[in-house]
Amino acid sequence: MDRIDLHVEVTPVAFSELSNHNESESSSAIRERVIGAREIQSARYAEMPGTFAMHK
């Protein structure tokens, strides 16, 4: 089997940035964006048999 090792240098993040309590997007808003993206993908690949966006 082939193997690729990846080394990434990451700079530290200040604790104040990690603990920032900014208001975030609601789950229902995210859900609506995901549903919209799936509809776009379904339309995009409608003419391509065997290619589809998976969803439940």
Side-chain angles (χ1 to χ4, degrees):
M1 224 195 272
D2 291 335
R3 178 180 157 173
I4 298 173
D5 290 334
L6 182 64
H7 297 268
V8 180
E9 185 175 332
V10 180
T11 57
V13 177
F15 178 76
S16 60
E17 289 184 52
L18 292 175
S19 62
N20 194 347
H21 294 288
N22 288 341
E23 192 165 325
S24 60
E25 189 174 13
S26 70
S27 293
S28 59
I30 295 170
R31 182 178 190 275
E32 291 303 316
R33 285 193 301 115
V34 170
I35 289 170
R38 286 181 174 159
E39 289 172 355
I40 291 169
Q41 284 296 88
S42 292
R44 180 178 292 148
Y45 294 113
E47 302 295 321
M48 301 175 79
T51 304
F52 55 93
M54 294 186 66
H55 54 85
K56 291 182 178 183

